[in-house]
Amino acid sequence: MPGGIRSAATPSDATRVGVRLSLIESIRGCGLMGLQIDKEELRQRLIMPKYLRIAMRNSIRFQDPDRGLEKDPLSVAEDIETPQPPESPLVVFINSRSGGRHGPELKHRLQQLIADEQVFELKDVKPHEFVQYGLACLEKLASTGDQCADETRKRMRVMVAGGDGTVGWVLGCLGELNSQGREPVPPVGIIPLGTGNDLSRSFGWGGSFPFAWKSAVKRSLDKATSGRVGRLDSWDLSMSMPFGETIEPPYSLKRTEDCCLDQSLEINGEMPDKTSCFRGVFYNYFSIGMDAQVAYGFHHLRNEKPYLANGPIANKLIYSAFTCTQGWFFTPCISQPSLRGLNNILRIHIKKMDSSEWEQIHVPSSVRAIIALNLQSYASGRNPWGNLKQGYLEKRGFVEAHPDDGVLEIFGLKQGWHASFVMVELISAKHIAQAEAIRFEFRGGEWKRAYMQMDGEPWKQPLNKDFSTFIEIKRVPFRSVMIHGD
């Protein structure tokens, strides 16, 4: 079978599991499966003593972890007995703009199930503020001999109610704890409110917002208290481009002073006198080409006319419309340079697993999109890399793909028809390589721009005909910590 796929006629195990979990979650949400969860017993497991909640709130509000050391008389009076740490202290970040019309209602439901001070609206409290001030407050209290604060900090778990971009934002901020030597890092669970929800699918939280969401939220919080913990590779992306070019980078890509390109790989050709540098982290994928162009069009439409994209079904219909209008399906019939293969503008070098040497790899001339994928879930639960036979893996020098295997799967999509058949897993994607480090080099010419995206956040990248733009990807030393919801 092509590409070493185990079965060309049936969906892969990963896709079946993702669909099955979404269906099961909806049924559970309707109260048709499992035992009822007692609300008060759940609250006892989740809610922190009031003096800790107030201390965290004040530290974040005044952006000073020392403000939490000032005892609040009312909260001290309420905690008359010696305060005890909860079994699974939990904080929830919610992007109430996600989830369509359910976002504000979901926030209210979460505040009913746990304390107000443990539910953070992302437009009011940013994840880095929670890390820098909220968790730091607990750590300062623990350093004064407060055993309850110490145990609460060690047992802390985090839920994120939002899409993949929101989850990645929280993971990135929590990851700073590793570099600061502030372990343990709280594990993260997910209430899926986005369109694709590939991170949520990969860790068993389902791919959609359940129909009977009020019951489902209670079950999600219950699973967050006891779910097993897994690991997720994080990938650092550095970009160097000629100075003077203007871009609107995604939120996850920040401007930096210096570029962190690997000096062991020599750069051919002249470099500009000045460069602009950006850096960010992704968890699922980085892509170049026509899939990113479709995502770019969708995001701009959603920003300009948000009433059109008011839920997952509407979002997917709009995505499909953009796919048809961007030349994705009719590329072979069109002669515009902007619709030809990426090999016109792109050179790729990689480091294979357990290798310190860079090597250049061939870019197939038929490929219009290239994706570097970390999870076995892409574009709402599809597995374009495929469920590969052991013999094929050995022949190509590949390993079985996992979220914490230390490598990215690099594959290509040719045009819309090829991508469509790949997504329903009738054929395989164009397997290019597996790599623990990647360098993409772009040079313009007839191409004036290229489209790129990280974890669903797209941008339009200008290309220069005289100087190259470089994007280098390498694994972050510390893995993110995830709660499994299955």
Side-chain angles (χ1 to χ4, degrees), residues 103-167:
E105 298 177 63
L106 175 60
K107 178 185 175 183
H108 179 65
R109 175 64 172 165
L110 288 167
Q111 290 172 329
Q112 290 178 328
L113 293 171
I114 55 180
D116 286 2
E117 299 89 352
Q118 291 173 235
V119 179
F120 299 130
E121 169 64 69
L122 281 163
K123 66 181 176 62
D124 300 324
V125 177
K126 306 298 186 288
H128 72 271
E129 295 172 339
F130 168 71
V131 171
Q132 188 172 351
Y133 307 115
L135 288 183
C137 164
L138 294 181
E139 292 162 359
K140 282 182 174 287
L141 286 170
S143 69
T144 66
D146 188 328
Q147 291 297 315
C148 182
D150 185 49
E151 286 300 314
T152 299
R153 168 65 182 89
K154 290 177 180 176
R155 299 177 187 179
M156 182 70 71
R157 292 190 167 203
V158 174
M159 284 290 281
V160 182
D164 286 348
T166 304
V167 178

Side-chain angles (χ1 to χ4, degrees), residues 363-433:
V363 180
S365 61
S366 60
V367 165
R368 269 74 178 180
I370 288 180
I371 297 96
L373 184 65
N374 185 39
L375 303 177
Q376 286 67 65
S377 183
Y378 170 81
S380 301
R382 276 62 177 182
N383 182 15
W385 183 255
N387 196 13
L388 306 182
K389 293 180 179 179
Q390 186 62 37
Y392 180 78
L393 293 172
E394 294 174 356
K395 179 181 178 181
R396 293 293 305 269
F398 294 160
V399 297
E400 189 173 348
H402 294 286
D404 60 349
D405 57 13
V407 293
L408 290 167
E409 284 69 51
I410 308 171
F411 62 89
L413 300 174
K414 299 176 183 179
Q415 22 72 14
W417 305 112
H418 176 247
S420 298
F421 291 136
V422 168
M423 293 307 169
V424 297
E425 300 181 32
L426 293 175
I427 60 175
S428 65
K430 184 75 175 178
H431 297 136
I432 296 175

Side-chain angles (χ1 to χ4, degrees), residues 105-330:
E105 298 177 63
L106 175 60
K107 178 185 175 183
H108 179 65
R109 175 64 172 165
L110 288 167
Q111 290 172 329
Q112 290 178 328
L113 293 171
I114 55 180
D116 286 2
E117 299 89 352
Q118 291 173 235
V119 179
F120 299 130
E121 169 64 69
L122 281 163
K123 66 181 176 62
D124 300 324
V125 177
K126 306 298 186 288
H128 72 271
E129 295 172 339
F130 168 71
V131 171
Q132 188 172 351
Y133 307 115
L135 288 183
C137 164
L138 294 181
E139 292 162 359
K140 282 182 174 287
L141 286 170
S143 69
T144 66
D146 188 328
Q147 291 297 315
C148 182
D150 185 49
E151 286 300 314
T152 299
R153 168 65 182 89
K154 290 177 180 176
R155 299 177 187 179
M156 182 70 71
R157 292 190 167 203
V158 174
M159 284 290 281
V160 182
D164 286 348
T166 304
V167 178
W169 184 13
V170 174
L171 288 175
C173 294
L174 291 175
E176 294 297 318
L177 294 169
N178 285 304
S179 58
Q180 297 169 9
R182 296 169 57 194
E183 288 86 0
V185 177
V188 174
I190 304 170
I191 298 175
L193 299 185
T195 303
N197 298 314
D198 290 302
L199 270 168
S200 176
R201 296 171 193 271
S202 297
F203 286 91
W205 293 99
S208 62
F209 202 51
F211 299 116
W213 59 271
K214 291 185 178 181
S215 299
V217 170
K218 188 165 62 173
R219 294 184 183 279
S220 294
L221 297 181
D222 179 60
K223 289 189 290 185
T225 66
S226 57
R228 62 190 175 93
V229 171
R231 303 287 170 172
L232 170 68
D233 286 332
S234 310
W235 296 90
D236 180 270
L237 183 147
S238 298
M239 181 169 71
S240 170
M241 57 182 284
F243 183 79
E245 303 284 3
T246 302
I247 68 168
E248 296 180 6
Y251 185 85
S252 55
L253 200 60
K254 304 296 185 185
R255 187 182 293 271
T256 62
E257 294 297 325
D258 301 314
C259 295
C260 306
L261 300 182
D262 191 332
Q263 299 301 310
S264 66
L265 178 57
E266 184 178 349
I267 295 175
N268 296 321
E270 295 184 6
M271 289 289 290
D273 295 332
K274 293 181 67 176
T275 59
S276 298
C277 301
F278 297 83
R279 193 172 183 183
V281 174
F282 69 91
Y283 300 88
N284 191 359
Y285 66 90
F286 168 76
S287 74
I288 312 153
M290 297 203 71
D291 70 319
Q293 184 175 356
V294 171
Y296 182 84
F298 168 78
H299 276 256
H300 271 257
L301 177 68
R302 185 170 63 177
N303 291 337
E304 293 172 3
K305 301 178 181 180
Y307 56 88
L308 291 178
N310 58 5
I313 295 176
N315 290 347
K316 289 172 183 176
L317 289 173
I318 295 170
Y319 251 106
S320 300
F322 268 108
T323 300
C324 294
T325 59
Q326 298 292 331
W328 191 222
F329 280 90
F330 301 103

